[in-house]
Each structure stands twice: as C-alpha cells, then as structure tokens.
Amino acid sequence: MTAPVDSTSGSTPAAGSADAQKPNSEARTGQPPPPTATPTSTTSKPAKAANGATKPPGKAKGGAVEGGEETLTGAELKKRAKAEKAARRAKEKLEREQAGGGGGGGGGDSAGAGGAGAAGTGQTAPPSAKKGGQAMGAKEAAAIGLQKGQKQAAPRRGSAQVVQQGGGVVEPKKKKEDKKVAVFGHLYGQQRRTTIAGAAKEVHPAVLALGLQMRDYVICGSNARCVATLLAFKRVIESYTTPLGTSLARHLTTHLSHQITYLSTCRPLSISQGNAIRALKLHISSVDPSVPEAAAKASLCDFIDSFIREKITVADQVIATSAAQKIQDGDVIVTFAGSSIVKQTLLTAYKQGKKFRVSIIDSRPLFEGKNLARVLAKAGLDVQYSLVHGISHAIKDATKVFLGAHAMTSNGRLYSRVGTALVAMSAKERAGGVEIPVIVCCETVKFTDRVALDSIVVNEIADADELVTAEPLAQVTGLMDKAASQPEASTTAKKGNNKPAAPSPLTESHAGMRSTASASPLKDWRDTPNLQLLNLMYDATPAEYVDMVVTEMGSLPPSAVPIVHRMSTNS
Amino acid sequence: MPATSAPLTPGLASFLKSLKTNPIDTSIDNLISLLKRRQIRHSRSCATATAYLLLRVISFCRTTDANKLIERVQSVGRRLMAAQPREMVVGNIVRRVLGLIRDEAEDDRDAEFALSDAGSESQPQTPRVLEDPSTPQDRDFLSVRHEGSERSSSRPPLTSHSTNPAPISMFSLLSGPEAESSLPGSPVPGSPSGRVTGHGSVRDIRAEVLDGIGEIIDELGQVDDQIAAYALDHIHSNEVILTHTSSTTVQKFLLKAAAKRKFTVIHAESYPNNHDATHATVSGTVSDEDDNLSFESFQKPLIALGITVILIPDSAVFALMSRVNKVILGTHSVLANGGLVAAAGTRVIARAAKVHQTPVVVVSGVYKLSPVYPFDFDSLIEYGDASNVIGYEDGDLVDQIDVQNPLYDYVPAELIDLYITNLGGHAPSYLYRIVSDHYRKEDISF
C-alpha cells in the first residue's frame, strides 16, 4: 500500500504524511469490509450496484445485519438509518461533483464499492448481497463525505460520525472545518483519496495503482502524469471487451470515465492529462462501429502510442534541442524545482559540449529540485543548489532562467509549481542589473484555453500535513505504532461489530501521527484554533515575466499561446 | 533579563551571568568567542551583550582621561566587531557608547555643567527614548536628563562650580561614594542603574557614561513595546498582513494591534533557517532549548487573540500577494541608505509586494540602525549551515553539488515603503537623519 520508493525525492514527505493518514482512513473505510470483502466475481452488473446504492435506507439495515451485527436496539437502528441517509446524500453530491470535474464521469466510486461488496456475497442471494453492498457503499461514502467536510452537511455529518466512531473522537475532525483558508475555499473540493477501498469496480488495477502513485507524488510532474495515464489507459483498452448491446465508441468512453473519475479523486487532473484524455475520447468517439473490436482496440492503442510519441517524447526532444541552442558557454542557468523538460534541455546542452553552470532553486515540501540536482550532478554538470530563500542570491550572477511549465494559459501566463513566479520575478526585477531572459520550455499539450489572472481562482491545494516536518527517526516509531494498532483493530472488527470498532484504531493512529511529527511544533495544528496551513501547488507567473516559450512548434512569445493552442487542437 | 536557571548551552544568559564574576578581559574574550561561534546571534542579544560588556569595561577602566576611555572602548569594540562583522548592532552599540563618552567629555571640557556626585544617580532612570543630540547642548541636555537628581543634588554643584579642573573634582568625589561601591558589590543586573552607582565612583564622566549605557540597555528592553505602540496607527480592521520569520518585534507589533482589531496574518515560514522558530511562534509552543526564546518573555501567540494565522511555505508568497494588504517585516539591521539586511527570502517578498503595489513596512529598533553605508552588498551576507538545505539523508549529494544557504538578504531601500522604529515612522530616505542623530561622525569608522 505504501508508495513504492522511487527516485522521485518528492515522495518522501508525501509518503510520510500518507503513512500518517493511512490508519486514519483505514479505520474509517477499510475496517467495515472484512465480512463481505471477497471480491472478483465481477459479473454483477455495475448498473445493479448503482441501483443498490440509491435504494432507501431500510434495506441498508438488512445489509448491515448481514454484514455481521445480529442484534440492534431501536435507537441504534435509528442512528444508523440517519447515518446512511447522510451518507447517501454525501455520495450523491460527490457523484455530481465528480461528474462535473472528471469530464462527465458516470457512476461514482462509492456505487462501485457497493458493487464490489455485492460481488463478495455472490450471485446466489442477490437481494441480500445487494443490500450488503449498499450498506458498505453507503458507509464508505459517509467516510468520503467526512473527508470532504462540506459545510452545509455539517450537522448530518456529525451524527454520522457519532454512529461511526461511537462519539469518541469527534473533536479533531470538527476542527477541520476552519482549517480551510477562506480565500481558497473554492479549491478544497474533496480530499484526496487515501485508499483504493471504494474505488469503482470498473477501475482497472493499473489505474488503481497509478492513482495512488500520483497521490503520493511518486508519479509527479505534468508530463509524467500524462504519459502514465495514457499508458494505463492503453492497458484498460487492451483488457476491455465491449458488452453486448453497446458499441465500443459509446461504451468505452463511459468505461474510461470511471477510470478518470477515480484518478481525479486521487489528485486533480493536470492540464496535460485533460488534453490527452480529451484527444483520446475524441478518437474513441470517431471509431467506426463497423470496425471489429480487435481492430478498433489496436487502432486506439496506436493512437495512444503516437500521441505519447508526438506530443511528448519527440516534442521533448525538439524542445530540448532548440532550447539547448539558447545556452552558451559560460552561462549560469537558474531553474526552479524539477522539470523533466528542463532537465533534458540541460543534459542536451551539456552533451553538446557547452560549459555552463546550473543553479537549482528548490522549495518545500516536495523538493523536486533535489532529484534534478542529483541527475545533473551525476551527469557531470556544475550544480549549485539552494532553496527559495536564496533566490536573490542565485539570480545575482545568473544569465538565463529556464522554467518548466504545468500549463500555459491562453492569456500567456505560466502556470507552474508554486514559487516559479518568484524566480521569474527576481530575474526581471534584478536591482540595477540587466534583465535576465526567462525561457519556458513547454509542450503544446500543456496549453490550455483557460485564462488565469491570479493564482487563487485556479489552483490545487495539497494536503497541508505535508508541511509539517516529520523527523525520519520518529517516523519509525510512528510506523510501529500503526502496526501495533492493526491487529487490535482487526480483532475488534472480527467481533462482528463494525461500527464501534472504528474508534480505537482511529485514536491509535492519531497517537501514531503525533509521534511521527513529535519534533515539529505544528504537530497539533489541526487542534489549534485559528491556525491554518496552506499548501498550494501552483502559481501563475505574469506573461510579462516570460520572454520566450520554447515548444515543439517553435519558440514563441507568451502572447502566441492561444494561437498555437488552436492550431494544435484543430489539427 | 538573564534567565534565572543556569543555562547549559553558552549564550546570552550564561554570558550575562558570568559577566559579574569573571575578570573583564575574560569577559571580553568570552563574548568574542560567543560571537564567533554564533552562540549569540539575533540582533538584540548581541546588542544587549555588547552593552553590558561595555558597561563593565568602562566601570573597570581606571582612567580619568576621556580620550583613554575612548581608546579603551574603541579597542574592545574593534575586537568585538572583528569577531562578527556582520552583526552590525555590535558596532552600533560601541559607536553609541563612544558618542556618549565624547558628549560627556565635551560637557566636561566646557565646564558649564557642575559635576554632581555619582551617589545621587542611584535613583531609577526614567525610561525614555534615548535622543543623543549630535551637537551636545551641554548643560541643557544634561540638566534635562537628570532633572530628578538635580533637585536633590543642587547643592554640590554650587560648591564645586569653581573647581573646574578634572583631577580636583575627582578627588573630591572619591571620598563620598567610595564607600558605596562596596555596597552593591555584585551589581544586580535587574537594575542597570544600580550598577552605575557601583562603579561610577571614580570619575564623574564615567558615571554619566555608565548612566547612558544603562539607558541604552533600558532602550533595548523596551524597544519592542515602544514600536508596538504605533501598531494601531498602521493596521486597520480586516487587513491581510503578510510577515516572515519569527521576529519578536513583529509579533509584538501584531499582538498590540490584535488586542483591538481583527485581521488575518499570513506567515511565511522562512524555511530552512528559521522555520522551527516560526512554527513555534505561530502555534504558540515554545521550545525551551532556544536561547533566544528563553530570553524573551513568553508571549501569547496571535492565534490566542482570535487572529487567523495562515502558515505558508515561502514559495507561495507570490501566489498570495494579490490578497495581501500590507507586508510587515522584521530585520537584522538597517543601513544608512535605507536598505536593510534581513533574513534570507525577505528580498523576494519585498519585491513581490512591490510588484503588487502592496506597502512594505519594516519594524526595527533604532539600535539596529547602522551608520554603515553598503558599498559591497555581498560582504553583508552571511552564509549558514548547508545541512539545513540538504540533510544528512542526502549526503551523497553534498559531494557533488554546491549547496548554498544564505542567512541574509540585502533589501534595497526602494522596496521599503515605511520604517517604524521606536521613534516613530520614517520614510527610508529619512533614515540618514536618524543615523546622524545617534552616531557621531568621528565614530562611524573607527
């Protein structure tokens, strides 16, 4: 479950926080499944599952009983009914949101969980199975609802929680409410998914893994995410069979939508991912229904391959070559964080025998530049490394600034890792010095027709716990704590009493989380009133700070972005 | 004031404690090594240590001649400044003490002012802003300054009025307060003026100088509160204020305003050199081992007063700047041209504020105001421990790449809109005037 350790240095803090969170979420979402979870008879129809999920709570009760609990007092039943009602509403809301955000995704993931649960009890007893699945799905959705922490759902949410946790640890969760920075209220959609539990059953294992990798920043960076998504989708398409009665062009899009919805719950999709998915969907819908399925699938896979090749692999090579021409002997290149295309550019220039120095500026909490520094230093480049606080020192003797991009907006702004704007600004505002050219390397697949004036309206907010520095030594104890809490949790769960099982692992994991970050004064920030942490992912650099955008279609000023975007999407 | 419990780590508290017992040369060496080892950092700690040391130096300097006294202070000052040239407050305090001595010497030479006996100085000093006039208005100034004591000791001046040569006055004074010097044998650091009586017996000029140093020390203790008094003039309701580092001056400034008004504070965490202190300040948990914090009296965090504090990484400053109404910064030292040397990262913040037309306010005590004109900015910048940037877990990288960890930034004056000192608010272009008020020309480069 823990992210596979990758060369991406950014994964370390992320993994730390993910570890800290995991027991938490497992306690909430992971524990209920044991009685029902023996999956893989995937014949149960998704439609059925979705139906089951929206059925009245009365039947859900039966499902829960089926899930283990034999005797319930009337009050408990009432509470449960209430909880499930709340959960259902939260889930419906979630589905709606996902449908909006994830590019028309169909059934929500929690419905899919219901399906998975139903599969567990098998086809022999369809009604009860349906109910069981539904109960589980509802519970899961309740958990998601909790994570989302919607304001209007607060009272209902509270009651659901009381049932779930036996009224134990309501306090810290409630505090989450005001942990949202007011200005960015619109960006706190749903919290990132913490487990694969509750993912729609249509979601392909490759996509499941990819989602978690993206969440943990194992796969990080606009290009990497785009390529990984496309490759995963290729596998989805390869293992896809068109159900009877539908056509591939119609059904595959909805099938992909499940994958996309799942991915977007792990981490909001990048612009490049969105563009790639749009192109893929366009291609799918243009598949002729008369073409046999195998041929259609082959053509789709070809399309994906050629998309990756044309838009990213070859594009990167073209950009690297043309950007490397801008580097001269004796240059001091400043770059920010770890852009793959900038890395390629610098390596290309180095291979061409150019002698220059690289100054990498890095930032918390991802430290992506560390990875870049390591690669460049291994290749033999002269690398200098400092953090954001050293920008003005690094820029002092710089001659050029190379920046990567997450996206280029249609008004010419560069939307990139937070801190990029500071670097570009410093390059342009050097006191009494000559302005330093700022060169952005960006594939056209990252161009978007959206516009942005500031970094507030459109942005992504990552988990603020990533900012709480965890000591590596203390993390060991935290992990051990979690391990200790695990068996206890399962024993309580085995008693068949799902709901009261939740609090103990939760408190345990909470303690584990504390010991993880014991060194930091921020460890209790969620319990500290009025204190908020903000972990932005991107910022928008004004167009006037960017001198040149190097793309595979040539080097342009930022004002040319919308034109090129139109050209590349129309062709 | 020094901590009551003996601190284990050498620092300001341990230095002040040892100052009482150690011989003066040991104390000087002690401070020099503390400065060199960076065991005393932070402007105020350096300033306080220097002031107390000079107090000690002067009170132990058995000389009658002002010039010798100046030479002595200069030689000590040179050594201290050489120990840590980038702690400009050390030089500032030395210069101010030199200025004090010169003032007193001139007064003395003019012989307008009759020498009052030092014993009457034991009354506590009225806390007031030190306004050393650049042109000493001999009698007027001093009579104002010691108005309280003048009344009681109005008799002696009349008798000693004719005895203008210095040696005579010294002999006449020796008889009186000599006995007193044994009374506060080990002066209590709690009241600087108590010390003045202890050792200011040899010669009046020294008593005055010690008195002046006492006032400097008083000023160091009160400067934050004096600056904070201006807070309500500068912060209005519902403002969004961005700040950086865990400066106590800024915190007190904001706290003062928070008592009356509601606003939001965005706090950049100043990773990697000051983030722990910043986190502690923001969340109100004080780490005991921090010398600086134990020196400061414990204060409530802003969040306890209902102020919303948003902690952000430094990189998000630009993204948020469009929402910020005012940037309030602390500083390490202020230079004569209105520029400042502040914690690394300040410059980009000030720059981002300028780009967004957000006013930048710097709060700083006058003692941080240095007469040094920065011809070479790089010489002002100190570089810190690289392991803060790349930890030991990435040790393989350290061999291959050049890791930089600058501690300070030079921020040019044009990025600053307003300075708030304990004397009030000033435009950066006005600072030269305050410099010339506080330091004498002949001391600027000694």
Side-chain angles (χ1 to χ4, degrees):
Chain A
M1 174 122 301
T2 325
V5 178
D6 191 271
S7 54
T8 317
S9 58
S11 67
T12 5
S17 67
D19 281 341
Q21 278 181 337
K22 219 159 283 163
N24 209 336
S25 62
E26 267 168 19
R28 270 195 260 116
T29 63
Q31 285 314 322
T36 50
T38 37
T40 62
S41 77
T42 41
T43 37
S44 97
K45 296 243 161 54
K48 196 202 286 172
N51 275 347
T54 44
K55 262 177 195 161
K59 289 197 179 175
K61 263 179 263 164
V65 170
E66 201 265 339
E69 195 151 313
E70 248 58 68
T71 47
L72 283 171
T73 65
E76 265 179 304
L77 279 171
K78 219 185 253 174
K79 261 197 213 163
R80 179 169 296 181
K82 237 164 92 188
E84 269 152 15
K85 205 168 152 197
R88 207 176 57 239
R89 287 193 192 169
K91 185 182 62 192
E92 273 162 18
K93 172 128 182 143
L94 181 73
E95 272 171 38
R96 246 179 291 132
E97 255 173 38
Q98 284 170 350
D109 48 306
S110 36
T121 37
Q123 295 299 86
T124 47
S128 73
K130 211 189 285 169
K131 278 178 242 154
Q134 195 262 325
M136 207 211 90
K139 227 175 283 165
E140 199 279 329
I144 288 173
L146 290 173
Q147 290 169 352
K148 275 158 76 184
Q150 273 134 358
K151 265 172 198 150
Q152 70 269 40
R156 271 180 273 133
R157 219 166 50 87
S159 66
Q161 201 159 25
V162 170
V163 179
Q164 269 209 324
Q165 307 183 347
V169 216
V170 185
E171 204 47 39
K173 293 295 150 203
K174 255 186 192 162
K175 285 276 164 55
K176 264 189 183 176
E177 290 286 332
D178 46 281
K179 289 304 162 195
K180 292 177 179 176
V181 178
V183 183
F184 290 93
H186 60 286
L187 293 176
Y188 293 91
Q190 66 218 58
Q191 240 192 10
R192 288 187 193 172
R193 170 186 294 277
T194 42
T195 57
I196 56 167
K201 79 166 176 66
E202 296 91 339
V203 178
H204 193 275
V207 179
L208 284 176
L210 173 65
L212 292 181
Q213 284 172 329
M214 289 203 303
R215 182 208 60 194
D216 293 334
Y217 308 107
V218 172
I219 294 177
C220 188
S222 192
N223 274 347
R225 280 159 74 193
C226 180
V227 172
T229 312
L230 286 173
L231 289 177
F233 283 1
K234 198 173 138 191
R235 290 186 59 190
V236 171
I237 291 169
E238 276 164 357
S239 62
Y240 171 80
T241 42
T242 317
L244 288 175
T246 51
S247 70
L248 180 131
R250 281 191 183 184
H251 186 260
L252 183 55
T253 355
T254 44
H255 184 66
L256 277 184
S257 293
H258 293 300
Q259 328 286 329
I260 295 160
T261 313
Y262 167 78
L263 285 183
S264 67
T265 57
C266 293
R267 197 184 154 187
L269 296 180
S270 72
I271 301 286
S272 55
Q273 277 176 306
N275 283 342
I277 288 166
R278 202 166 301 129
L280 179 62
K281 278 189 171 172
L282 198 71
H283 189 81
I284 292 171
S285 60
S286 68
V287 168
D288 190 351
S290 63
V291 177
E293 191 178 306
K297 278 161 67 178
S299 95
L300 285 174
C301 291
D302 279 351
F303 172 79
I304 289 176
D305 284 338
S306 70
F307 188 92
I308 293 175
R309 199 177 335 109
E310 279 170 25
K311 296 284 186 180
I312 293 165
T313 320
V314 177
D316 278 1
Q317 282 164 10
V318 173
I319 293 170
T321 330
S322 97
Q325 285 168 10
K326 310 280 188 289
I327 300 176
Q328 290 155 355
D329 278 353
D331 265 349
V332 179
I333 311 288
V334 168
T335 182
F336 181 74
S339 158
S340 60
I341 179 70
V342 169
K343 175 168 73 185
Q344 208 174 330
T345 302
L346 296 173
L347 288 174
T348 309
Y350 182 72
K351 276 183 201 128
Q352 288 169 358
K354 287 175 178 159
K355 289 188 171 48
F356 58 97
R357 201 153 60 82
V358 182
S359 182
I360 298 168
I361 297 166
D362 208 354
S363 74
R364 224 157 81 83
L366 288 181
F367 295 113
E368 292 162 298
K370 230 181 241 180
N371 197 21
L372 176 65
R374 188 172 276 124
V375 172
L376 293 183
K378 281 232 174 74
L381 277 87
D382 186 2
V383 180
Q384 186 184 316
Y385 178 91
S386 60
L387 296 176
V388 173
H389 71 295
I391 288 182
S392 44
H393 298 269
I395 217 88
K396 224 165 17 200
D397 39 24
T399 55
K400 282 183 186 81
V401 176
F402 275 81
L403 296 173
H406 177 84
M408 289 291 297
T409 61
S410 272
N411 54 346
R413 291 213 168 200
L414 165 66
Y415 183 70
S416 190
R417 179 71 65 235
V418 64
T420 308
L422 285 175
V423 177
M425 178 196 70
S426 304
K428 289 291 139 192
E429 309 264 333
R430 195 158 61 154
V434 195
E435 288 191 351
I436 309 165
V438 175
I439 299 166
V440 174
C441 302
C442 180
E443 300 86 351
T444 52
V445 73
K446 292 178 182 171
F447 286 10
T448 172
D449 50 1
R450 296 172 87 165
V451 288
L453 286 174
D454 55 24
S455 321
I456 297 172
V457 181
V458 180
N459 213 322
E460 181 185 336
I461 290 189
D463 188 0
D465 283 322
E466 288 163 19
L467 289 179
V468 182
T469 39
E471 297 294 310
L473 200 70
Q475 203 166 16
V476 175
T477 60
L479 288 171
M480 268 153 50
D481 246 9
K482 193 174 51 177
S485 80
Q486 217 76 318
E488 197 215 334
S490 54
T491 49
T492 34
K494 253 174 223 158
K495 271 189 262 164
N497 198 349
N498 277 348
K499 288 180 178 176
S504 63
L506 192 72
T507 40
E508 284 278 322
S509 67
H510 199 67
M513 202 151 65
R514 269 171 206 223
S515 69
T516 305
S518 59
S520 168
L522 290 178
K523 60 180 188 292
D524 297 327
W525 74 276
R526 282 193 192 276
D527 301 335
T528 316
N530 294 324
L531 179 63
Q532 302 174 338
L533 264 66
L534 180 66
N535 188 8
L536 275 184
M537 291 297 282
Y538 302 106
D539 65 7
T541 308
E544 59 262 31
Y545 292 155
V546 178
D547 293 288
M548 181 193 276
V549 185
V550 182
T551 71
E552 73 269 24
M553 298 169 94
S555 304
L556 3 136
S559 54
V561 167
I563 301 147
V564 172
H565 179 59
R566 228 171 60 185
M567 276 163 57
S568 64
T569 45
N570 281 358
S571 60
Chain B
M1 288 301 112
T4 44
S5 62
L8 296 169
T9 49
L12 178 63
S14 70
F15 171 72
L16 292 181
K17 229 178 160 66
S18 69
L19 199 57
K20 281 171 253 160
T21 48
N22 282 355
I24 187 68
D25 284 321
T26 321
S27 290
I28 295 171
D29 291 338
N30 190 4
L31 181 57
I32 285 172
S33 63
L34 282 174
L35 284 171
K36 274 187 179 163
R37 293 183 200 137
R38 314 299 284 126
Q39 281 162 335
I40 293 186
R41 329 191 43 113
H42 304 290
S43 296
R44 196 209 324 269
S45 309
C46 290
T48 314
T50 313
Y52 273 109
L53 182 73
L54 289 180
L55 194 78
R56 194 86 179 146
V57 165
I58 289 172
S59 57
F60 269 92
C61 191
R62 303 256 167 232
T63 179
T64 57
D65 189 3
N67 286 332
K68 277 189 183 154
L69 205 58
I70 288 171
E71 267 171 38
R72 172 72 174 148
V73 172
Q74 274 181 339
S75 75
V76 173
R78 266 189 220 111
R79 287 174 64 196
L80 290 179
M81 285 167 73
Q84 199 50 254
R86 293 186 191 93
E87 287 288 3
M88 272 167 286
V89 283
V90 174
N92 296 349
I93 297 295
V94 173
R95 285 189 190 97
R96 275 172 78 160
V97 171
L98 285 173
L100 274 174
I101 301 171
R102 284 184 209 277
D103 283 351
E104 300 303 335
E106 275 166 28
D107 295 345
D108 202 40
R109 216 172 300 131
D110 294 348
E112 289 269 322
F113 178 63
L115 299 154
S116 60
D117 58 339
S120 63
E121 303 292 334
S122 60
Q123 52 126 19
Q125 293 298 316
T126 48
R128 58 191 294 276
V129 180
L130 196 76
E131 290 168 333
D132 297 348
S134 53
T135 52
Q137 297 170 355
D138 39 299
R139 202 202 151 93
D140 290 342
F141 170 63
L142 285 167
S143 61
V144 167
R145 191 148 118 199
H146 304 297
E147 209 165 16
S149 62
E150 214 69 6
R151 213 164 292 127
S152 61
S153 62
S154 54
R155 249 184 317 105
L158 284 173
T159 55
S160 60
H161 186 67
S162 56
T163 61
N164 41 350
I168 299 172
S169 68
M170 188 193 75
F171 286 131
S172 68
L173 286 166
L174 264 177
S175 53
E178 184 71 2
E180 250 186 58
S181 68
S182 61
L183 184 116
S186 58
V188 189
S191 64
S193 50
R195 223 178 257 219
V196 172
T197 40
H199 302 284
S201 53
V202 182
R203 185 176 147 71
D204 190 53
I205 174 172
R206 279 171 45 206
E208 299 288 351
V209 170
L210 294 178
D211 211 18
I213 297 177
E215 278 186 31
I216 292 178
I217 292 169
D218 278 355
E219 182 196 330
L220 291 176
Q222 293 161 0
V223 68
D224 283 346
D225 296 318
Q226 286 171 345
I227 294 171
Y230 298 101
L232 287 174
D233 298 345
H234 297 279
I235 295 175
H236 62 72
S237 294
N238 283 335
E239 248 186 324
V240 180
I241 289 167
L242 187 138
T243 184
H244 182 233
T245 75
S246 62
S247 157
T248 1
T249 316
V250 175
Q251 286 302 311
K252 282 199 175 158
F253 191 80
L254 294 176
L255 277 169
K256 189 81 175 178
K260 288 263 170 67
R261 284 166 201 172
K262 285 272 171 275
F263 50 92
T264 307
V265 173
I266 299 178
H267 207 134
E269 64 181 356
S270 58
Y271 191 84
N273 294 318
N274 199 12
H275 65 286
D276 278 334
T278 306
H279 292 172
T281 314
V282 160
S283 59
T285 49
V286 174
S287 48
D288 306 320
E289 60 266 58
D290 197 334
D291 177 46
N292 182 46
L293 284 173
S294 64
F295 171 61
E296 308 294 346
S297 56
F298 178 74
Q299 56 183 18
K300 267 189 178 175
L302 278 168
I303 48 172
L305 288 171
I307 300 296
T308 306
V309 178
I310 305 169
L311 186 77
I312 57 164
D314 304 331
S315 48
V317 164
F318 194 93
L320 283 165
M321 194 54 89
S322 56
R323 288 284 308 178
V324 173
N325 293 105
K326 213 162 268 167
V327 178
I328 297 184
L329 298 171
T331 179
H332 180 67
S333 58
V334 183
L335 305 173
N337 66 341
L340 55 93
V341 177
T346 308
R347 183 173 178 155
V348 269
I349 292 173
R351 186 66 80 178
K354 202 78 195 162
V355 165
H356 288 90
Q357 302 289 328
T358 310
V360 178
V361 178
V362 173
V363 288
S364 158
V366 160
Y367 70 95
K368 289 184 183 173
L369 188 52
S370 169
V372 173
Y373 188 87
F375 294 105
D376 178 17
F377 303 133
D378 288 342
S379 68
L380 303 170
I381 306 305
E382 185 181 343
Y383 285 82
D385 185 3
S387 70
N388 285 343
V389 175
I390 292 232
Y392 289 108
E393 65 273 16
D394 291 305
D396 58 318
L397 269 178
V398 179
D399 300 333
Q400 301 166 3
I401 64 175
D402 176 16
V403 182
Q404 296 223 320
N405 180 15
L407 294 182
Y408 301 121
D409 258 354
Y410 170 71
V411 185
E414 63 261 25
L415 296 182
I416 311 296
D417 293 280
L418 188 70
Y419 279 99
I420 299 175
T421 67
N422 38 339
L423 304 181
H426 320 284
S429 54
Y430 181 74
L431 285 186
Y432 81 98
R433 200 48 231 168
I434 302 177
V435 167
S436 62
D437 281 353
H438 280 80
Y439 307 103
R440 293 173 66 106
K441 255 190 232 85
E442 51 267 50
D443 292 327
I444 285 177
S445 53
F446 63 89

